[in-house]
């Protein structure tokens, strides 16, 4: 199972101590999931915040990228069937066709950048449609790549 975790610290509303929010993103049973739970070491308050499928809120996603760094997904091998790539992108991100076309061009050229779980999820879906792709750590020298 592909999984990434990050911690976000803030002030506890109850006691003013440090509240630690642990956020996770993972693939389970063929779906992309995220969850979050929070706890305060000072007063002991804690709760499970969320457990949902799909894309996480931007604050969760940003924390995962900051803690773990971005990953890059790039098509490898011969030119893929563009229809297959477009179908996967539209299914996964529910984007209109023109945006899917832009993402497909980027995926085939420099690659798409996102969290490891997002890129692995997309890679698995592409492979299911016969499109070979690989996930690598995104380098700092690739500022032009599209982030999804």
């Amino acid at each position: 199972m592909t999984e990434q975790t990050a911690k976000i610290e803030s002030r506890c509303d109850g006691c003013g101590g440090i509240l630690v929010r642990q956020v996770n993103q993972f693939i389970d049973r063929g779906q992309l999931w995220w969850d979050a739970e929070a706890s305060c070491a000072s007063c002991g308050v804690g709760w499970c915040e969320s457990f949902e499928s799909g894309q996480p809120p931007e604050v969760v996603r940003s924390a995962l990228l900051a803690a773990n760094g971005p990953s890059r997904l790039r098509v490898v091998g011969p030119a893929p069937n563009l229809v297959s790539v477009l179908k996967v992108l539209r299914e996964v991100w529910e984007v209109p066709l023109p945006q899917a076309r832009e993402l497909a061009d980027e995926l085939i050229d420099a690659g798409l950048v996102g969290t490891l779980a997002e890129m692995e999820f997309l890679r698995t879906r592409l492979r299911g449609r016969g499109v070979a792709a690989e996930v690598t750590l995104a380098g700092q020298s690739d500022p032009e790549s599209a982030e999804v």
Side-chain angles (χ1 to χ4, degrees):
M1 176 165 65
T2 300
E3 179 176 2
Q4 285 187 317
T5 298
K7 294 187 182 204
I8 304 169
E9 293 185 356
S10 61
R11 287 271 170 227
C12 176
D13 290 338
C15 72
I18 296 177
L19 183 74
V20 177
R21 183 178 182 201
Q22 180 172 312
V23 296
N24 309 291
Q25 189 180 40
F26 53 95
I27 300 168
D28 187 31
R29 294 170 281 163
Q31 293 295 318
L32 184 63
W33 295 86
W34 70 275
D35 66 13
E37 48 189 61
S39 64
C40 176
S42 298
C43 68
V45 69
W47 64 89
C48 181
E49 234 179 307
S50 191
F51 181 81
E52 298 182 32
S53 65
Q55 290 291 336
E58 191 54 39
V59 66
V60 171
R61 189 171 183 275
S62 294
L64 291 165
L65 287 167
N68 300 288
S71 294
R72 175 181 311 285
L73 176 69
R74 183 178 289 143
V75 169
V76 295
N81 178 332
L82 187 57
V83 172
S84 295
V85 173
L86 291 172
K87 282 184 180 182
V88 169
L89 292 170
R90 294 194 70 204
E91 288 169 0
V92 170
W93 286 313
E94 299 177 358
V95 295
L97 188 56
Q99 186 178 358
R101 179 59 197 229
E102 289 173 17
L103 290 168
D105 289 344
E106 193 68 29
L107 176 65
I108 293 166
D109 185 26
L112 295 174
V113 175
T115 67
L116 176 62
E118 290 166 347
M119 297 300 99
E120 286 291 346
F121 179 68
L122 187 55
R123 181 186 62 81
T124 300
R125 299 290 295 265
L126 287 166
R127 279 191 177 172
R129 297 260 186 182
V131 178
E134 68 179 2
V135 175
T136 58
L137 293 177
Q140 297 300 323
S141 62
D142 303 319
E144 65 214 349
S145 297
E147 185 173 315
V148 292

